[in-house]
Amino acid sequence: MPVGAYYYPEHWKPEQWERDIRRMAELGFSFTHYAEFAWAALEPEEGKYNFGWLDTCVNFAARYGLKVIMCTPSPCPPAWLSQKHPDILIVRDDGIKVHHGMRLNANGANPVYQQYLEKIILKMAERYGNHPAVWGWQLDNEPHLEGLYDYSAFAQADFRQWLRRRYSSIDSLNKSWGAAFWSLTYNNFDQIRIPNARESFTNPHALLDFQRYTADALAAALRFQAQLLRRMVSSRQWITTNYAYYKFLPCVDMFRNRPDLDFASHTMYLLSTYLNTHSGPLAYRLGSGMELSFSSELARSVNGFTGIMELQPGQINWGKWNAQPLPGAVRMWIWHSFGLGDKFTCTYRFRQPLFGGEQFHKGIMEPDGVTVSPGGLEYVQAIREINALPAPVNPTLPSRIAGRHTAFLWNQENLLGMEGSRHTNSWDSWQHYYTYYSALKRMGSPVTFLQETDSFDVKQYPFLVAPAYEMLDNRLVEKWRRYVQQGGTLILSSRTGMKNKQGHLWETLLQQPIWSLIGAKVDYYDHLPPGTKGTIRMGGTDYSWNVWADKLTPDAQTEVMATHADQFYKGSAVVVRRKLGKGQVYYIGAHSDGGELETSVLRQAFTEAGATILNLPDYVFQEWRDGYEVVVNYTSEPYTVNLTEGSRVLIGSRVVPPGGVCVFTAP
Ligand code: GAL
């Protein structure tokens, strides 16, 4: 797995370039990353180009055997462009234009902006599109809009166009938006303004469409750049972008660019303080392995492989606090990335910046530019270890692992819809997804995220989970039914099937479109106030819940797995399962505290379907890659790996300390 580092020649004295690039190569890095924010350095005045510095640094990379990821500079329009065309800049919902002085402040879907982008991108493609040192291209940087949404005159008009295409007539828009409610009816498309995403009483259907539009516009902006490059660059060079952690950026949908990019890469800052971590005392130094894993498997699912474009080398500057990583944690993250099958890992960044908005961000090098930082030393160690791995004995995926491969049905629009309409303050769609995802990882399941249009192939995916799949149509219900009849195990949860694809409730009883599939009626659901707990009993064990629980009435042939142990609906069903054809459907009608109920049901479902599962503690991960098993420990306690006879430890030891790694081969 090649490991690389970002380098910004435009930040450093020209006489240091060769020294730095040579050093990068000597430390074991095999690629670097240039130019994503460098428009002003490449085209300091309109039409006047200055590529000399970049040519020099590409050639230095080639001289020292480093490949280059070349980036389009679209996140940073130069001052002359913003001054000439302020209409390309993003406008916030309060009407404030985001002027020059930061990044990501122009809308890449704006055709005026695109005229200028086209010129600089074609110049770059002409110059580097056949350069043997250039490995591939990164479009933009963590594509999203500064402030998440654009309310500029361009975006207003573009949104209206998008609506015209989607609805053809204003009557059909009024219907879809439920505009009869509160007199929200429009007489024509020209009256429509972008709904205010911050107001809590905004029409949810208008908001969902605006978010869909924003996701489409972001995807279109990337497509525009990808198509320009494809015309010019060698087919040896790939094209990707570095998707940022989706949780903060609801409209960034990697799947929308599936046909445009060769693959989706992703970025991950494990100590950012905004992500989920283990609850142990060292968690804030070890970071969120679960989110690294989720992000990587999601990105991998888009085109079959991925790489990490940005991984922190030490402290960052933008967390709520910026703790030191536990010694060893940086190395563990690299090994985790390796275990997940990443095709490369790249660190942000080689040198710590001396100026600008990220002054306190660590690099591989200390601020003096010549001393390797503690995180840098861990990079060096991990690179050496990876390069020294002996060839694996058997690089084919063992059936015990293939047999627990799980598909996770993903539709960004369900997330957008539920987050726009949570229904109880304690509902957190991400937390609901993570509950299922963590349970799967604790069993050691590889997870592939699927879209509804993908094939639900039972052989490839013996298990399919679709947690809180709120908006659906009958076509999907029938596709699920066929999957189960052919032998699949399908696991659904609360909220699934509540709404149609427009986001309206069905004109039926609650979730009725899935009743015949799950073999039960969903009579109603309940939420509890903060601090109040309900109890669910399954197989003699009690599980508490607070956020959400359903009350079900099972059909005669349906098996009740768990019932309510209290509340006025005590004794009624909450988790059910039923056989259908050669498979099984599970419906878990609750979001339990700590996901414990869901974890138990999943374990039972997998075991009974004949899968071999692991029993890892939460936040210990075990991944298989090319014949190696990789165990990483994000908990605050040592973990002892369960080694079968004939296993051989290659890296680390069987007892894995917090922040530690064990790599082994199993017979
Ligand atoms: C990322 C971003 C980088 C840099 C980094 C700092 O989100 O893509 O450009 O800002 O954070 O940690």
Side-chain angles (χ1 to χ4, degrees), residues 226-290:
Q227 286 172 353
L228 283 177
L229 284 178
R230 292 262 185 239
R231 278 179 12 213
M232 308 272 296
V233 308
S234 148
S235 57
R236 277 185 309 99
Q237 297 179 349
W238 41 256
I239 301 175
T240 187
T241 188
N242 58 340
Y243 288 107
Y245 196 55
Y246 36 82
K247 182 172 169 178
F248 311 125
L249 307 175
C251 298
V252 177
D253 177 8
M254 305 186 191
F255 285 97
R256 275 176 155 81
N257 283 113
R258 194 183 232 181
D260 308 309
L261 306 178
D262 293 301
F263 63 97
S265 73
H266 69 120
T267 66
M268 179 50 58
Y269 289 83
L270 288 99
L271 297 190
S272 81
T273 66
Y274 298 99
L275 305 180
N276 284 35
T277 58
H278 190 251
S279 52
L282 293 175
Y284 67 95
R285 300 200 187 281
L286 293 168
S288 180
M290 196 268 295

Side-chain angles (χ1 to χ4, degrees), residues 37 103 141-142 269 310 318 348 358 361:
F37 301 132
R103 64 177 176 180
N141 171 63
E142 293 187 336
Y269 289 83
E310 296 179 33
W318 50 274
Y348 183 90
E358 292 177 351
H361 200 293

Side-chain angles (χ1 to χ4, degrees), residues 331 335 385 649-657 660-664:
R331 165 179 172 257
W335 272 110
E385 288 171 338
V649 174
L650 305 173
I651 304 277
S653 58
R654 183 170 177 213
V655 179
V656 188
V661 175
C662 174
V663 182
F664 64 97

Side-chain angles (χ1 to χ4, degrees), residues 427-445:
W427 177 267
D428 175 343
S429 312
W430 282 107
Q431 208 49 54
H432 195 72
Y433 297 147
Y434 292 153
T435 298
Y436 284 82
Y437 185 74
S438 305
L440 293 169
K441 297 319 285 182
R442 291 181 64 181
M443 297 190 288
S445 303

Side-chain angles (χ1 to χ4, degrees), residues 10-306:
E10 66 276 26
H11 298 184
W12 308 107
K13 296 188 195 107
E15 58 270 27
Q16 295 179 340
W17 294 338
E18 184 169 11
R19 178 200 72 184
D20 290 347
I21 294 162
R22 186 177 54 222
R23 196 71 199 283
M24 198 187 290
E26 283 166 1
L27 292 175
F29 290 93
S30 42
F31 65 94
T32 186
H33 180 282
Y34 290 154
E36 69 194 337
F37 301 132
W39 197 337
L42 293 170
E43 191 181 1
E45 285 175 62
E46 185 175 355
K48 294 203 176 129
Y49 297 98
N50 177 14
F51 278 96
W53 63 274
L54 192 52
D55 290 349
T56 305
C57 288
V58 170
N59 292 334
F60 281 143
R63 179 176 306 167
Y64 294 103
L66 296 175
K67 286 182 278 193
V68 173
I69 297 180
M70 188 57 79
C71 306
T72 63
S74 48
C76 297
W80 57 260
L81 178 51
S82 304
Q83 185 184 32
K84 185 169 172 191
H85 292 290
D87 46 326
I88 63 169
L89 301 178
I90 285 166
V91 174
R92 299 220 162 116
D93 56 355
D94 54 9
I96 291 178
K97 196 185 274 286
V98 190
H99 283 287
H100 192 73
M102 57 176 342
R103 64 177 176 180
L104 287 155
N105 60 325
N107 188 331
N110 185 319
V112 177
Y113 191 41
Q114 289 184 344
Q115 283 170 25
Y116 289 85
L117 274 172
E118 176 163 347
K119 287 186 209 152
I120 186 77
I121 291 173
L122 291 182
K123 283 269 174 222
M124 293 182 83
E126 201 177 280
R127 226 165 169 101
Y128 306 115
N130 285 291
H131 197 296
V134 175
W135 192 18
W137 294 77
Q138 174 194 302
L139 308 178
D140 205 71
N141 171 63
E142 293 187 336
H144 66 278
L145 302 169
E146 167 51 38
L148 298 189
Y149 301 109
D150 184 12
Y151 293 79
S152 67
F154 157 73
Q156 298 282 2
D158 202 40
F159 179 47
R160 274 181 222 124
Q161 275 308 106
W162 184 92
L163 291 171
R164 280 197 180 92
R165 286 197 297 274
R166 186 175 176 89
Y167 293 109
S168 315
S169 77
I170 198 68
D171 285 349
S172 99
L173 175 138
N174 280 327
K175 230 187 241 152
S176 178
W177 283 15
F181 200 74
W182 290 346
S183 255
L184 299 181
T185 308
Y186 296 94
N187 305 102
N188 56 62
F189 284 95
D190 294 332
Q191 291 171 339
I192 297 174
R193 295 197 55 81
I194 291 175
N196 197 318
R198 275 200 302 196
E199 297 298 325
S200 42
F201 287 105
T202 292
N203 179 347
H205 311 296
L207 181 59
L208 180 58
D209 267 350
F210 175 53
Q211 292 179 308
R212 285 171 167 144
Y213 156 74
T214 301
D216 280 352
L218 283 169
L222 292 174
R223 186 170 309 123
F224 168 78
Q225 295 199 25
Q227 286 172 353
L228 283 177
L229 284 178
R230 292 262 185 239
R231 278 179 12 213
M232 308 272 296
V233 308
S234 148
S235 57
R236 277 185 309 99
Q237 297 179 349
W238 41 256
I239 301 175
T240 187
T241 188
N242 58 340
Y243 288 107
Y245 196 55
Y246 36 82
K247 182 172 169 178
F248 311 125
L249 307 175
C251 298
V252 177
D253 177 8
M254 305 186 191
F255 285 97
R256 275 176 155 81
N257 283 113
R258 194 183 232 181
D260 308 309
L261 306 178
D262 293 301
F263 63 97
S265 73
H266 69 120
T267 66
M268 179 50 58
Y269 289 83
L270 288 99
L271 297 190
S272 81
T273 66
Y274 298 99
L275 305 180
N276 284 35
T277 58
H278 190 251
S279 52
L282 293 175
Y284 67 95
R285 300 200 187 281
L286 293 168
S288 180
M290 196 268 295
E291 303 213 22
L292 170 72
S293 178
F294 192 103
S295 175
S296 168
E297 295 203 289
L298 186 69
R300 182 179 69 210
S301 301
V302 177
N303 291 99
F305 64 96
T306 188

